[in-house]
């Protein structure tokens, strides 16, 4: 008896091809030059297939990046060696290295521009990516509070902004190098402000 193709498997294969094509094209030609037509051609699907699942180029590209983070199972926990200074320096050095990496920087700048200009996409970003990552960061800060390494009354939302905002400002404005020393300085200043 001949096997019939499984439409769910074919749909998932098409979806994955579209996400892969979107990531590749943004890296190769930059966000501005990527089009739904180019993504469809690279993925081997029709434009209507893309528009069935996404309402805009920005939404496709956001999902392409989200899929990368979802593939990193277990990546939603910060290191916890018991030493908040060492753990934060490890995390901030990795963050600085990622933002300084040209392969990451171009696509994430494009996505950031989309988020600035598309309130709906920004809401999806906060809900599906930023909020879970922030919860993982706050969980680590909470354990440091419980260990007496951070002030017990520290507002964790504001604490995260205090730690990460200077990095994002430097990156967005291209106002200085993103180096391990810079990451360490941010952690040192953060800890001076937040220790008990």
């Amino acid at each position: 008896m001949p096997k019939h193709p499984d439409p769910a498997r074919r749909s998932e294969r098409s979806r994955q091809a579209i996400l892969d094509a979107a990531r590749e094209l943004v890296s190769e030609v930059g966000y501005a030059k990527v089009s739904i037509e180019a993504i469809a051609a690279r993925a081997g699907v029709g434009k209507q297939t893309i528009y069935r699942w996404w309402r805009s180029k920005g939404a496709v590209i956001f999902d392409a990046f989200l899929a990368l983070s979802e593939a990193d199972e277990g990546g939603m926990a910060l290191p916890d060696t018991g030493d908040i200074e060492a753990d934060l320096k490890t995390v901030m050095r990795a963050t600085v290295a990622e933002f300084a990496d040209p392969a990451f920087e171009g696509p994430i700048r494009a996505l950031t521009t989309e988020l600035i200009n598309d309130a709906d996409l920004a809401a999806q970003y906060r809900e599906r990516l930023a909020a879970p990552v922030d919860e993982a960061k706050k969980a680590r800060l909470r354990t440091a509070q419980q260990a007496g390494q951070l002030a017990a009354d520290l507002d964790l939302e504001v604490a995260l902004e205090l730690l990460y905002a200077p990095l994002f400002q430097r990156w967005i404005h291209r106002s200085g190098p993103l180096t391990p020393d810079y990451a360490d300085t941010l952690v040192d200043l953060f800890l001076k402000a937040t220790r008990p």
Side-chain angles (χ1 to χ4, degrees), residues 18-174:
I18 291 164
L19 297 176
D20 291 344
R23 272 192 306 272
E24 291 166 7
L25 285 165
V26 168
S27 295
E28 290 169 18
V29 302
Y31 180 83
K33 293 182 181 174
V34 174
S35 66
I36 293 291
E37 292 80 5
I39 295 170
R42 172 77 58 101
V45 302
K47 280 192 322 185
Q48 67 280 6
T49 300
I50 294 176
Y51 284 119
R52 187 177 327 130
W53 292 323
W54 296 280
R55 63 180 178 78
S56 68
K57 174 176 81 169
V60 177
I61 290 169
F62 169 66
D63 273 358
F65 285 101
L66 185 63
L68 283 181
S69 71
E70 288 171 344
D72 184 18
E73 299 285 331
M76 282 298 195
L78 271 61
D80 189 349
T81 64
D83 179 347
I84 190 63
E85 180 179 348
D87 294 345
L88 286 178
K89 285 183 177 179
T90 296
V91 170
M92 290 302 284
R93 282 175 172 230
T95 303
V96 161
E98 188 174 51
F99 275 79
D101 179 356
F104 174 84
E105 200 229 2
I108 201 65
R109 275 193 190 278
L111 180 59
T112 300
T113 301
E114 272 307 292
L115 296 176
I116 290 167
N117 294 309
D118 185 335
D120 291 338
L121 191 62
Q124 284 183 51
Y125 171 81
R126 281 190 307 276
E127 177 187 326
R128 295 171 62 196
L129 188 61
V133 169
D134 284 352
E135 282 309 312
K137 292 172 183 175
K138 286 190 280 189
R140 179 61 188 98
L141 295 181
R142 248 181 241 107
T143 62
Q145 281 179 310
Q146 292 160 358
Q149 296 175 338
L150 296 177
D153 62 349
L154 182 63
D155 180 321
L156 299 183
E157 293 285 339
V158 175
L160 287 181
E161 290 177 358
L162 182 64
L163 183 58
Y164 284 91
L167 165 61
F168 290 130
Q169 179 173 325
R170 181 175 277 210
W171 176 72
I172 287 169
H173 292 243
R174 303 175 197 261

